[in-house]
């Protein structure tokens, strides 16, 4: 009986060896399958990242193709001139330039490509701003004995605005149109809403001041009672005299020291832009020259900021309201100036789309906010025109014609709207025009940008960043 058991033992050992082998094979196969699945997932993830990177950046690729229609007088130029005229008139009064109306007009009606439209828009803003500044230089502050333009406010923001413009022009070359569209919609919806609420608040204050003035007139017409205290209007807020700007000789309203400092920044930037034409793009000297713009702009702004912090200079247009400037406030406002310039250079807009609402939040009267914002834009827009010209971004004949249209429109708009404000006694109209112009710009520019994105997606065009050094 023991003999059969001896024959079974090798059989059981062999069976166990087979089972163990099968188990090890299955375990190894499972491990290999898991590794293969993991590798596949990693490949898919890497493939997705590669596709995203390929979408955003391809060396030597560019989606920019300039489209410059032939200059023939017809219905396109006629309609474009009307739209440009209205945009310049509204933009100059609101202190925003009107670029949000110019760019869609040049793209949809005239037929320029978006980036050429941006450059021509800057030319129109320069013409409108120059005309508006000439008009405002003859006017005095609505309630104080000072020019309508606040030079200290301009010295704080204008250098940073110009620095931002230089950055924005470079971004205009590098960024794809869809990136610009997203930024534009977010920015404009926020600033237009802010300006609208500020306009409503100012309208309510003006209504109260009108009521106060009416009560004052009624109290003066009644017999004076010794026990009754004379009625006095509120010392703050818009006044009825706020729309009666006095005209004086132009020379009397120019502060030569402040103007000289602002011109120092403008000339410094101009020299740098001209010198850049004689060095290789993206070379060491190219970046050295670009970096030199920082100390030129910062020197004037830091001088003004320190003076405001110490109290040796003040933002006089705010009247008797004293502002104890803090370091973080000054840094924030200077940063807003740079952002305004970057947006202006990138989108072909005036920096007033940000500076206008910001000045109102600082408590600057609407007329002064509009005039000072436009004054700062004159320097920044003229510099961006020089930069776009050196980049060969616009046809000179078209730009010259629309500059003339914008110049005439801005002067006419200032004259007509000032008369309306004087008649109605409400300076808040300027704020409502500001909010309306920004909102129209958001809708029109956003619509044009979205339509362009859909078209490029349909044509499977390259929609990523472009090489600043590759662009010629």
């Amino acid at each position: 009986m023991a003999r059969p058991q001896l024959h079974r033992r090798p059989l059981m050992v062999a069976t166990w060896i087979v089972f163990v082998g099968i188990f090890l094979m299955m375990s190894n196969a499972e491990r290999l399958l898991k590794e293969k699945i993991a590798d596949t997932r990693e490949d898919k993830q890497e493939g997705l990242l590669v596709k995203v990177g390929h979408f955003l950046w391809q060396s030597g690729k560019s989606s920019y193709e300039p489209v410059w229609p032939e200059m023939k007088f017809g219905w396109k130029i006629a309609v474009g001139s009307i739209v440009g005229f209205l945009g310049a008139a509204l933009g100059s009064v609101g202190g925003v330039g009107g670029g949000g109306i110019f760019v869609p007009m040049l793209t949809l009606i005239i037929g320029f490509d978006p980036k050429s439209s941006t450059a021509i828009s800057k030319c129109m803003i320069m013409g409108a701003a120059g005309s508006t500044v000439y008009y405002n230089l003859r006017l005095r502050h609505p309630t104080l004995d000072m020019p309508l333009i606040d030079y200290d406010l301009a010295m704080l923001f204008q250098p940073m605005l110009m620095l931002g413009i230089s950055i924005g022009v470079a971004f205009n070359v590098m960024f794809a149109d869809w990136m610009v569209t997203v930024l534009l919609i977010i920015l404009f919806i926020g600033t237009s809403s802010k300006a609208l609420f500020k306009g409503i608040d100012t309208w309510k204050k003006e209504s109260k001041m009108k009521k106060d003035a009416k009560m004052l007139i009624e109290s003066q017409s009644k017999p004076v009672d010794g026990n009754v205290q004379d009625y006095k209007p509120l010392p703050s807020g818009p006044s009825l005299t706020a729309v009666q700007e006095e005209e004086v000789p132009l020379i009397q309203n120019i502060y030569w020291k402040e103007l000289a400092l602002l011109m120092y920044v403008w000339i410094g930037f101009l020299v740098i832009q001209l010198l850049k034409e004689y060095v290789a793009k993206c070379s060491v000297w190219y970046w050295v020259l670009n970096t030199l713009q920082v100390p030129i702009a910062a020197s004037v702004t830091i001088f003004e900021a320190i003076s405001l912090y110490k109290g040796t200079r003040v933002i006089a247009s705010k009247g008797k309201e004293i502002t104890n400037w803090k370091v973080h406030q000054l840094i924030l406002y200077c940063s807003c100036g740079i952002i305004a310039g970057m947006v202006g250079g990138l989108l072909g807009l005036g920096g007033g789309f940000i500076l206008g609402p910001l000045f109102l939040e600082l408590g600057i009267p609407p007329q002064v906010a509009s005039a000072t914002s436009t004054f700062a834009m004159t320097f920044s827009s003229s510099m961006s025109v020089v930069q776009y010209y050196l980049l060969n971004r616009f046809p000179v004949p078209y730009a010259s014609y629309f500059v003339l249209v914008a110049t005439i429109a801005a002067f006419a708009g200032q004259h007509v709207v000032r008369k309306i404000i004087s008649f109605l006694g409400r300076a808040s109209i300027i704020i409502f025009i500001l909010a309306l112009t920004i909102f129209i710009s958001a809708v029109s520019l956003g619509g044009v940008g979205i339509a362009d994105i859909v078209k490029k997606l349909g044509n499977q065009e390259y929609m990523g960043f472009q090489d600043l050094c590759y662009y010629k």
Side-chain angles (χ1 to χ4, degrees), residues 177-188:
D177 293 336
W178 68 268
M179 304 173 190
V180 174
T181 300
V182 172
L183 173 64
L184 182 146
I185 293 174
I186 295 173
L187 176 68
F188 279 14

Side-chain angles (χ1 to χ4, degrees), residues 14 18 26 30 56 72 106 133 222 255 267 275 278 374 384 399 419 461:
V18 171
M26 291 179 63
E30 183 180 3
L56 292 176
K72 288 183 179 179
L106 292 164
V133 168
K222 294 179 181 179
Y255 287 5
I267 293 172
L275 289 176
Y278 297 95
T374 305
S384 61
K419 292 292 183 184
E461 298 181 26

Side-chain angles (χ1 to χ4, degrees), residues 310-389:
K310 292 182 176 179
T312 55
R313 301 180 75 94
V314 295
I315 304 299
S317 59
K318 297 181 68 173
K320 295 181 180 179
E321 182 181 351
I322 298 175
T323 302
N324 294 320
W325 295 92
K326 298 179 180 178
V327 175
H328 73 274
Q329 286 180 315
L330 293 168
I331 294 175
L332 175 62
Y333 294 146
C334 292
S335 301
C336 288
I338 294 177
I339 294 171
M342 290 172 60
V343 172
L346 178 61
L347 306 180
L349 310 174
F353 280 95
I354 294 178
L355 293 186
L358 177 62
F359 289 170
L360 294 173
E361 286 299 314
L362 287 174
I364 308 298
Q367 303 98 311
V368 180
S370 173
T372 307
S373 173
T374 305
F375 180 66
M377 278 194 300
T378 304
F379 293 93
S380 61
S381 61
S382 59
M383 182 53 56
S384 61
V385 167
V386 172
Q387 292 174 323
Y388 280 127
Y389 175 77

